Amino acid sequence: MPKDRSELPPVEELLTAAVTGLGGVERPGQVKMAQAVGDAIESEEHLAVQAGTGTGKSLAYLVPAIRHAAESGDAVVVSTATIALQRQLVDRDLPRLADALESLLPHRPEFAILKGRRNYLCRHKMAAGMPEDEDDQLFDPREVSATGRMVQRIQDWANETETGDRDEIVPGVSDQAWRQFSVTARECLGAQRCPSGADCFAELARERAGEADVVVTNHALLAIDAMEDFAVLPEHDVVVVDEAHELVDRVTSVVTGELSESTVGLAVRRAGRLVEQGVADRLQEAGEDLRALLAVAPPGRVDTLPQSLGMTLALVRDAAFACITALGPRNKDKDDPENAGLRKAAFTALDEVHDTAQRMLDAFGPAAGGDGAGDDEDMDSANSRDSANARDSASSGGANGGGTDARSEEVHRAEVVWLEEGRGRIPPTLRVAPLSVGGMLRDKLFGDRTVVLTSATLALGGTFDSLSRQWGLRAGEWTGLDVGSPFDHPRRGILYVATHLPQPGRDGLPEAYVDEIAELIEAAGGRTLGLFSSMRAAKAATEALRERLDVPLLCQGDDSTSQLVKQFAGDPATCLFGTLSLWQGVDVPGPSLTLVIIDRIPFPRPDDPLASARQRHVAATGGNGFMAVAATHAALLLAQGAGRLLRSMDDRGVVAVLDPRLATARYSGFLLNSLPPFWRTTDPAKVREALRRLTADA
């Protein structure tokens, strides 16, 4: 073991030791990536690396990251999008890697996982018995009883746990039950003020992370750490963003605000315990006005602020501010932890309502925030007009991103507001989100640290330009590298585009598509993963084909997704149909997956409020909104979906895209260049014969 940091072996030597220790084989792409990551860290230059499935990219970035931590004494943060990858890193990759490298480093590499505070049991909230925030009237007696059983399980587990991590509870518990024992970062009193601060599970997790060489976290917490005024992660100068194709969406989710009768009602319940009844009633009345307005408004993007909505948002904002004022100084009752906890929770809920309402008003310009004034137009007519614009954009191919009515204010607008319709107990909800998070990422994430971004799908259309723009990176500030894949795609896989089929329509799955799917599955002998652009299409295909095919056919929603994937992987004759989570979340190597069917190019819906607003904004600023937003979205999902086929060196099969536009549309080259280099054909007879041969050889 080296005595000091100056004796550290080079990255190449450490990688060889790691691969040998883990019983693997070095691959050229892995070596190339590890060298590039090490060079980027040393030169403090941002790096984007596309590394195909099977490259061994986790080791390729972990080895130089651990070397840097050992050399500098600073932690390296590794951020992932999925819990599955976090668990793989912490439970499998990092412990084995620490064993393999221990003799070559000054100390055994230490690692820790760090999640958002909401994921940890709050000892103070549990001990203080704070009143529940939930409105029991929303739940029927059976659900209340089920929640009660979960609450009891949490209480029993709380006496045994050493980490307080929610993921330890198996089977899991509902959000409703867990909220009674957890707080957000904004609701937390802080370790110094909290009576349980010395034993706080979240603080203990942060302490462990502060002593680690590698801290594994998620994109949401990474965004919170970068955007907020308070530090969440330990000091670090290097970040590795794995599953980087998810970064923009995850950051957007973090900075999206929402306003509904539920968010206002929560603020009323929390404030009502601490302020005069009349002050709380004012907020409740404003919330009821909001509920009544949203109940009759159609869902969709709100481009022009109706007078009724502007006035209601202003009422909600001002009523929330009145409650905040009535609560008095924020540090009041600092010597009364129980009351301080109630006040902090009230401030958090009220701040969210006030700030979100103001943010929504600001989205329509300075005049909107003053007195609620706006166009004298109701939400119905405003949104109906916008839906027509969205349809016009779609029918024209979206080349200009917004039809012919792109207005000059789109150049200056920073955020978009839209209404989501209610579902079950979830009421209609107004949301507000940035048109772009690139500026935030540039200033907050990339500004004072070195960032390595990696995924199997980053080079869309053959370049990194599409995603680098979304990240806010400028030319000269970063380097892109595609280290390829160990798979021989042209020899192991076929990309089949069914050009003889009609273009997909809006009236469900065409009968010709159902016939094509049936013929492909029969040739494959089952072994099919069907990726559909909507759950309606997936269910329609399932119902039609269960009567025609003599193979087991599973559909997402029949059971938990993990159980369905397990069943699919365990029986080669089985088929599995589903939608978005299956496009990126299925890893089934071997003969159980020989055919991937994609029903249509996965463009965002024309009425998707955020995507359509971003598309129109790009067009208004002189760009090609369709290519920058819709085509990029489709290319990313297509690449992820096609990536389900080859998961091991022995895999073979077919990716069948039923949408003929992949071969005929003017944007097809961009999409095709985003996919792995499979051998391509449009001949259905050749594909069916290839599938029969693969089935016979299996």
Side-chain angles (χ1 to χ4, degrees):
M1 179 180 293
K3 298 298 182 183
D4 58 56
R5 295 168 181 169
S6 64
E7 301 176 9
L8 287 175
V11 167
E12 294 81 1
E13 183 178 336
L14 291 173
L15 180 63
T16 298
V19 173
T20 302
L22 271 63
V25 177
E26 275 189 356
R27 292 171 177 157
Q30 184 183 53
V31 174
K32 189 175 182 180
M33 178 177 173
Q35 292 170 336
V37 173
D39 291 344
I41 292 173
E42 186 174 345
S43 63
E44 299 182 352
E45 181 180 46
H46 304 311
L47 173 69
V49 186
Q50 177 165 281
T53 303
T55 302
K57 64 181 171 67
S58 296
L59 280 187
Y61 65 68
L62 286 174
V63 167
I66 288 174
R67 187 186 187 281
H68 172 73
E71 184 176 45
S72 66
D74 295 326
V76 172
V77 170
V78 175
S79 178
T80 77
T82 62
I83 294 175
L85 182 53
Q86 289 178 34
R87 288 175 173 165
Q88 175 188 316
L89 291 173
V90 173
D91 296 338
R92 191 186 73 182
D93 293 353
L94 281 166
R96 298 165 66 197
L97 186 56
D99 291 339
L101 298 183
E102 182 175 6
S103 63
L104 299 174
L105 299 173
H107 64 269
R108 176 183 171 82
E110 299 290 337
F111 55 90
I113 187 168
L114 188 59
K115 306 174 184 179
R117 189 171 292 270
R118 189 105 211 187
N119 292 279
Y120 299 98
L121 180 78
C122 175
R123 290 186 185 275
H124 173 57
K125 190 169 186 178
M126 184 172 181
M130 294 182 186
E132 298 177 14
D133 290 326
E134 303 294 343
D135 184 352
D136 289 338
Q137 294 179 357
L138 293 176
F139 307 102
D140 66 36
R142 289 173 297 177
E143 290 171 336
V144 171
S145 177
T147 299
R149 290 192 293 272
M150 291 181 187
V151 166
Q152 185 60 55
R153 285 177 49 217
I154 296 172
Q155 291 172 331
D156 294 342
W157 165 80
N159 296 322
E160 305 169 357
T161 179
E162 296 181 359
T163 67
D165 188 336
R166 176 182 178 177
D167 285 341
E168 285 185 3
I169 306 176
V170 179
V173 296
S174 68
D175 289 342
Q176 179 199 354
W178 182 251
R179 275 195 295 267
Q180 299 178 51
F181 299 92
S182 66
V183 296
T184 65
R186 290 182 178 275
E187 294 168 339
C188 178
L189 289 174
Q192 300 301 318
R193 295 178 60 194
C194 179
S196 302
D199 300 317
C200 174
F201 287 121
E203 291 297 324
L204 292 173
R206 285 196 67 198
E207 287 178 15
R208 289 191 293 269
E211 299 170 355
D213 298 291
V214 176
V215 179
V216 179
T217 189
N218 56 66
H219 294 349
L221 195 62
L222 180 69
I224 292 170
D225 180 73
M227 309 293 178
E228 297 287 357
D229 295 331
F230 51 86
V232 177
L233 298 170
E235 287 292 326
H236 58 282
D237 59 357
V238 174
V239 175
V240 178
V241 181
D242 203 342
E243 301 173 308
H245 62 279
E246 294 262 27
L247 181 63
V248 168
D249 285 346
R250 299 302 173 104
V251 172
T252 299
S253 294
V254 168
V255 297
T256 296
E258 66 176 53
L259 199 60
S260 70
E261 64 173 285
S262 294
T263 57
V264 177
L266 174 62
V268 169
R269 290 193 296 277
R270 290 184 175 182
R273 306 166 188 146
L274 303 169
V275 302
E276 291 183 4
Q277 189 64 44
V279 180
D281 286 348
R282 180 180 166 190
L283 180 57
Q284 182 171 343
E285 290 168 3
E288 291 171 353
D289 290 345
L290 180 68
R291 178 187 62 192
L293 181 65
L294 300 186
V296 298
R301 201 175 67 220
V302 184
D303 284 336
T304 305
L305 182 65
Q307 187 178 45
S308 57
L309 178 60
M311 293 177 63
T312 303
L313 288 174
L315 285 173
V316 170
R317 175 199 62 190
D318 296 344
F321 185 74
C323 289
I324 292 170
T325 302
L327 283 173
R330 291 181 183 255
N331 61 356
K332 182 182 175 182
D333 296 322
K334 61 182 180 180
D335 297 326
D336 181 359
E338 181 174 346
N339 203 43
L342 293 173
R343 286 169 50 78
K344 188 69 178 288
F347 273 121
T348 299
L350 290 166
D351 286 341
E352 181 179 350
V353 169
H354 174 274
D355 295 350
T356 303
Q358 184 63 58
R359 186 175 160 191
M360 290 175 175
L361 290 166
D362 290 343
F364 298 97
D371 57 6
D375 273 358
D376 191 10
E377 174 180 37
D378 63 30
M379 291 185 70
D380 198 341
S381 60
N383 284 330
S384 295
R385 184 204 60 238
D386 183 63
S387 296
N389 291 338
R391 290 193 296 271
D392 291 343
S393 173
S395 64
S396 66
N400 67 359
T404 59
D405 74 329
R407 297 179 288 271
S408 60
E409 61 262 28
E410 286 302 316
V411 176
H412 306 290
R413 181 167 291 176
E415 296 204 291
V416 59
V417 177
W418 72 96
L419 175 63
E420 286 189 4
E421 63 183 337
R423 301 184 310 277
R425 295 191 307 268
I426 301 174
T429 301
L430 271 178
R431 299 188 186 277
V432 57
L435 283 167
S436 169
V437 296
M440 297 180 191
L441 290 173
R442 175 181 169 78
D443 294 341
K444 303 294 187 179
L445 179 60
F446 298 109
D448 57 359
R449 55 180 64 85
T450 301
V451 181
V452 175
L453 305 113
T454 185
S455 169
T457 49
L458 293 182
L460 304 179
T463 76
F464 294 87
D465 294 346
S466 295
L467 289 181
S468 67
R469 282 193 294 268
Q470 293 185 13
W471 297 329
L473 291 175
R474 298 172 182 168
E477 297 177 337
W478 63 284
T479 299
L481 174 67
D482 184 353
V483 300
S485 167
F487 300 146
D488 187 352
H489 286 94
R491 292 180 178 273
R492 310 299 295 186
I494 296 173
L495 174 63
Y496 163 55
V497 183
T499 54
H500 64 284
L501 293 178
Q503 286 194 16
R506 298 183 182 181
D507 300 325
L509 202 64
E511 186 63 28
Y513 281 43
V514 176
D515 293 340
E516 184 77 14
I517 294 170
E519 292 175 0
L520 290 169
I521 290 177
E522 286 174 343
R527 309 170 191 274
T528 300
L529 176 66
L531 302 177
F532 293 84
S533 54
S534 70
M535 186 55 71
R536 184 178 68 169
K539 289 181 177 179
T542 302
E543 292 173 4
L545 293 171
R546 275 179 174 161
E547 300 175 358
R548 295 175 54 172
L549 298 176
D550 195 22
V551 297
L553 213 167
L554 309 174
C555 185
Q556 192 173 1
D558 291 346
D559 202 335
S560 68
T561 299
S562 60
Q563 187 61 36
L564 290 173
V565 172
K566 182 178 180 180
Q567 191 174 343
F568 171 60
D571 179 10
T574 297
C575 301
L576 173 60
F577 289 180
T579 185
L580 190 59
S581 62
L582 299 186
W583 285 74
Q584 305 184 74
V586 175
D587 185 9
V588 180
S592 291
L593 205 171
T594 302
L595 172 63
V596 175
I597 295 177
I598 297 174
D599 71 327
R600 64 189 298 163
I601 298 172
F603 292 120
R605 290 170 53 93
D607 59 354
D608 180 282
L610 190 51
S612 61
R614 286 174 168 172
Q615 184 170 319
R616 192 176 67 176
H617 180 74
V618 171
T621 54
N624 188 320
F626 173 78
M627 293 302 297
V629 179
T632 295
H633 176 276
L636 187 56
L637 275 180
L638 275 176
Q640 286 285 314
R644 299 311 97 200
L645 181 65
L646 303 185
R647 309 302 296 178
S648 72
M649 298 301 290
D650 296 326
D651 287 349
R652 296 182 295 168
V654 172
V655 174
V657 180
L658 308 185
D659 190 337
R661 293 176 297 176
L662 185 59
T664 60
R666 67 187 183 282
Y667 48 79
S668 62
F670 175 77
L671 299 179
L672 288 169
N673 287 335
S674 305
L675 297 175
F678 296 118
W679 184 78
R680 298 175 186 171
T681 184
T682 60
D683 186 338
K686 286 184 178 179
V687 169
R688 290 195 292 269
E689 180 57 32
L691 287 170
R692 292 188 189 100
R693 288 198 304 270
L694 290 175
T695 303
D697 294 342

